Amino acid sequence: MTTEVKPSTRERLLEAAATLTYRDGVGIGVEALCKAAGVSKRSLYQLFESKDELLAVSLEERSSAFVAGLLPAAGDGRSPRERILHVFERLELQAGMPEFHGCRYLAVQIELKDQAHPASQVAHKIKANLTAFFRAEADQGGASDPDLLARQLILVFDGASARAGIGADSLTGLVAPTVVTLLDAAGMR
Amino acid sequence: MTTEVKPSTRERLLEAAATLTYRDGVGIGVEALCKAAGVSKRSLYQLFESKDELLAVSLEERSSAFVAGLLPAAGDGRSPRERILHVFERLELQAGMPEFHGCRYLAVQIELKDQAHPASQVAHKIKANLTAFFRAEADQGGASDPDLLARQLILVFDGASARAGIGADSLTGLVAPTVVTLLDAAGMR
């Protein structure tokens, strides 16, 4: 049996920020955040310098779940090609969930407009890590131009998540053949 | 000599809505819109039912400029393949401009979250028209699977505009080779 640990004020605020921002956008008010977290404004400002900082930290803390939900385990014995395809299979699966609204990191950057905002910078870093994963696998798999392939894959990732997030397309029969075509063209093993 | 026609109240409001929403997001307030347009709130509500309607109409009115800025002229004698590449050359050019923040229609849909919002519906329709252009050219050019190719091209369009819009990537050396690879794989003439 696991012992239930009551989430701390900090955890409740981070959870509310992540959930409400994803659902309603970065314009969500401090009052709504505090209400959802069951926390006073005073407590929020004791823990975080500003709503901006709360947002940035909430994105940062979600990054391990983001990575775990998409990336294959290190050294799983599969080929780089299969490891890249794994990410897009996971994305297709996630995009089929009713609560999917696209990539939270892309959405935050589009919504904030300001790329110097602390939350934009966190979002940028997390996506740059995904690009670096693609780049390393592309290299490992002998891609003719690993830089180009990595840029293409993150472009497909963002385009696919955005379109699925707004309900403009499902990713079924779309994302896998697109990625396969790009992997083939790069001569990826 | 052209006679300068002073823009009407309606035109000033539509221009302010298009410009400020693109720059600052859909959360822009009615006061800021009225101030930028030099128009009273009363006038706004005499002309538009709501800020939502103003936003939807401003997107609708921008659509002809969007199409003219991207699409080749009808019957320009070029091959379907070249006509598709034209769109992405234009996108690459636009993405290099300092005031580029990505596709305004995608941004509005991501920001509003609500796909039933009148502005989301306008944005959806305008992008569906772009997809239909790709679909018709794909058909004309003998693509092996015109539906798939059209879905791939709009995915690349959205992914590329989004990534350039947030400054995560320039499109140089990225979008053209990606589209060429997809056109080749589809056997497009």
Side-chain angles (χ1 to χ4, degrees), chain A residues 22-25 106-107 109-111 113 115 148 151-152 154-156 158-160 162-163 166 169-170 172-174 178 181-182 185, chain B residues 22-25 106-107 109-111 113 115 148 151-152 154-156 158-160 162-163 166 169-170 172-174 178 181-182 185:
Chain A
Y22 189 56
R23 197 190 66 193
D24 301 331
L106 179 64
Q109 286 188 271
I110 288 178
E111 289 172 42
K113 313 286 177 201
Q115 302 314 318
L148 174 61
R151 290 170 75 201
Q152 289 177 319
I154 194 77
L155 184 159
V156 170
D158 276 345
R163 292 193 59 75
I166 60 170
D169 203 334
S170 81
T172 315
L174 171 63
T178 305
T181 296
L182 296 172
Chain B
Y22 188 55
R23 198 190 65 193
D24 302 331
L106 179 64
Q109 286 188 271
I110 288 178
E111 289 172 41
K113 313 286 176 201
Q115 302 315 318
L148 174 61
R151 289 170 75 200
Q152 289 176 320
I154 194 77
L155 183 160
V156 170
D158 276 344
R163 292 193 58 75
I166 60 170
D169 204 333
S170 81
T172 315
L174 172 62
T178 305
T181 296
L182 296 172

Side-chain angles (χ1 to χ4, degrees), chain A residues 106 109-110 115 154-156 158-159 162-163, chain B residues 22 66 70 87-88 90-92 94-96 99-107 110 127 130 134 153-171 174-175:
Chain A
L106 179 64
Q109 286 188 271
I110 288 178
Q115 302 314 318
I154 194 77
L155 184 159
V156 170
D158 276 345
R163 292 193 59 75
Chain B
Y22 188 55
F66 176 74
L70 286 172
V87 174
F88 290 94
R90 297 292 309 172
L91 174 63
E92 190 175 326
Q94 291 175 7
E99 71 276 15
F100 184 81
H101 306 297
C103 171
R104 68 171 67 238
Y105 302 109
L106 179 64
I110 288 178
K127 294 298 280 294
L130 180 56
F134 289 142
L153 293 172
I154 194 77
L155 183 160
V156 170
F157 184 90
D158 276 344
S161 347
R163 292 193 58 75
I166 60 170
D169 204 333
S170 81
L171 305 183
L174 172 62
V175 92

Side-chain angles (χ1 to χ4, degrees), chain A residues 17-41:
Chain A
T19 306
L20 297 192
T21 304
Y22 189 56
R23 197 190 66 193
D24 301 331
V26 297
I28 186 85
V30 166
E31 310 241 334
L33 286 173
C34 287
K35 198 178 160 194
V39 162
S40 70
K41 269 203 216 181

Side-chain angles (χ1 to χ4, degrees), chain B residues 80-100:
Chain B
R81 183 186 175 94
E82 288 168 328
R83 290 168 56 79
I84 287 172
L85 283 167
H86 172 95
V87 174
F88 290 94
E89 282 156 22
R90 297 292 309 172
L91 174 63
E92 190 175 326
L93 204 71
Q94 291 175 7
M97 305 289 187
E99 71 276 15
F100 184 81

